[in-house]
Amino acid sequence: MSKHKDKIGVLVMSYGTPQSLEDVEAYYTHIRRGHPPTEEQLAELKGRYEAIVGGVFPLRENTDGQVAGLQDKLEQLAPGTYVCYQGLKHAQPYIEDGVEQMAADGITEAIGIVLAPHYSIMSVGSYNKRALEKAENLGIALTCIDSYHMHPKLLQALTDRVEAGLKLAAESAGEETPVKVLFSAHSLPVRIRELGDPYEQQLLETSGAVAEAAGVKDWQFTWQSAGRTREPWLGPDILETLPSLKEEGVQAVLVAPIGFVSDHLEVLYDLDLEAKEEARRLEMTLERIAMLNRDPLYMETLAETVIKATTAGRKD
Ligand code: FEC
């Protein structure tokens, strides 16, 4: 079959989520590199999904929407040139399945992009490694994008959300109450620092640029969603940051989870339920910016980044 042999493939990679509650065990086992979770760990994770999903796993729908949105945007900017495929890190279709589908469709040149703007060797680096290994085996010339955390349209989309979030925070806390903006992202094991990983630096660059564009003077960065493993993870976690802020006299917080691009467990549970509950306990108000999901500026960020990487890849 060579139905797309004249097109450039775009492998759009995302974290992946279970299809249903029955699927949570297989998903969790995959995240744990083949080691099944204990019954207690499984029950705890299922409990978190049950608290947010009501039978629908939002990350799946959102990733589908983002892939379709990127395809539309690429079609507008470069008609007839690109065809998008999906590859998930921990659920089907896996990254390798996406590359196999490209090969089956006759694709020989492709670009890989992850639906996460910041690079870490443990996040985007591991998606790209898997994609590149599979592509090499199947004879596809694949160029992978590492990061796009300072793309002006991404910064604009996030700035718009912080500005809207500040209005919401003022409504909750009262116009007179100053609002602290907390930029956040998924924590990673502290050992990334020994690897000279750019993750922290890139997250601070995005935070600083968005704060400046939105005219926010009072902000700080915090981690969230650290894994449940024994090794130390980057901190402080938002659940530690909130009590410290309370001690400093902060009463109102706006969380901007700039490390994520979609509504999913780490946002809907860790922030909207857990962090909000902690804020309530501390008698603070906590609001969150809306996630990007299929935002047109985010779709343009992805499409322009893909087109730029195609040109750069051809020059190499
Ligand atoms: O909505 C959903 O179903 C999926 C939500 C979800 C996203 C996500 C994003 C990132 N993770 C990153 C790193 C790690 C590391 C470990 C780890 C573990 C989990 C577990 C769940 C989970 N992650 Fe995740 N992550 C999401 C969900 N993550 C569930 C397992 C239970 C738990 O610890 O909570 C630890 C793995 C290990 O055991 O070694 C490391 C990073 C991101 C953001 C970038 C990206 O999207 O790839 C980094 C969404």
Side-chain angles (χ1 to χ4, degrees):
M1 286 281 283
S2 56
K3 67 176 179 174
H4 292 314
K5 77 174 171 29
D6 298 327
K7 295 205 177 183
I8 299 171
V10 180
L11 182 68
V12 189
M13 294 175 277
S14 171
Y15 201 80
T17 189
Q19 300 268 13
S20 66
L21 280 169
E22 288 72 56
D23 248 16
V24 172
E25 185 168 6
Y27 173 71
Y28 202 175
T29 304
H30 193 274
I31 291 178
R32 292 164 49 85
R33 291 173 222 85
H35 303 290
T38 62
E39 267 186 35
E40 199 187 353
Q41 287 169 323
L42 181 61
E44 193 273 334
L45 181 56
K46 276 192 173 174
R48 276 188 273 152
Y49 277 113
E50 271 161 353
I52 64 151
V53 294
V56 182
F57 286 75
L59 181 57
R60 195 161 280 273
E61 290 187 356
N62 287 327
T63 301
D64 290 349
Q66 287 168 327
V67 177
L70 173 58
Q71 180 71 61
D72 289 351
K73 189 50 72 183
L74 285 168
E75 208 43 42
Q76 267 176 31
L77 297 177
T81 310
Y82 294 96
V83 55
C84 291
Y85 294 80
Q86 198 174 132
L88 306 178
K89 193 174 189 186
H90 295 300
Q92 286 172 338
Y94 291 111
I95 291 170
E96 293 76 7
D97 300 332
V99 180
E100 254 172 36
Q101 191 57 51
M102 290 201 285
D105 290 349
I107 299 278
T108 54
E109 181 184 1
I111 304 292
I113 190 161
V114 179
L115 297 174
H118 306 87
Y119 181 89
S120 163
I121 193 164
M122 287 185 71
S123 63
V124 172
S126 75
Y127 290 80
N128 289 351
K129 185 167 178 280
R130 280 170 57 184
L132 287 164
E133 270 169 20
K134 190 75 186 172
E136 192 174 304
N137 287 342
L138 296 174
I140 296 176
L142 175 69
T143 304
C144 283
I145 292 155
D146 282 344
S147 61
Y148 46 87
H149 67 292
M150 291 297 276
H151 192 292
K153 289 183 179 168
L154 175 78
L155 298 179
Q156 184 60 54
L158 292 170
T159 303
D160 293 348
R161 279 164 168 71
V162 168
E163 286 170 354
L166 285 170
K167 290 197 185 110
L168 193 66
E171 277 167 29
S172 303
E175 294 292 334
E176 304 306 310
T177 311
V179 178
K180 176 105 180 179
V181 176
L182 274 185
F183 293 99
S184 73
H186 202 294
S187 179
L188 280 174
V190 172
R191 70 187 143 88
I192 64 161
R193 288 191 175 144
E194 290 152 30
L195 307 170
D197 202 80
Y199 189 57
E200 288 180 86
Q201 184 57 33
Q202 290 191 354
L203 286 161
L204 288 176
E205 281 167 11
T206 305
S207 305
V210 172
E212 193 179 342
V216 172
K217 303 257 176 323
D218 191 12
W219 66 272
Q220 77 184 52
F221 183 82
T222 191
W223 298 103
Q224 61 164 95
S225 313
R228 287 140 172 89
T229 63
R230 275 190 223 142
E231 67 179 319
W233 287 61
L234 296 170
D237 186 271
I238 188 162
L239 297 179
E240 296 158 354
T241 303
L242 291 174
S244 324
L245 291 179
K246 177 70 185 185
E247 273 179 28
E248 288 166 24
V250 174
Q251 290 169 33
V253 163
L254 173 68
V255 187
I258 50 152
F260 299 116
V261 297
S262 170
D263 284 300
H264 51 53
L265 189 72
E266 314 297 73
V267 171
L268 302 176
Y269 188 88
D270 296 0
L271 296 179
D272 292 2
L273 295 177
E274 218 174 33
K276 239 187 177 154
E277 177 57 35
E278 178 62 359
R280 246 192 308 272
R281 189 185 72 75
L282 296 163
E283 296 178 348
M284 300 163 83
T285 61
L286 183 149
E287 298 295 341
R288 162 177 77 74
I289 64 164
M291 300 310 289
L292 293 171
N293 294 320
R294 210 176 154 164
D295 181 284
L297 285 171
Y298 182 45
M299 295 301 103
E300 285 175 44
T301 301
L302 295 173
E304 289 174 11
T305 306
V306 164
I307 292 169
K308 197 169 158 199
T310 313
T311 323
R314 284 180 173 169
K315 274 192 209 129
D316 289 345

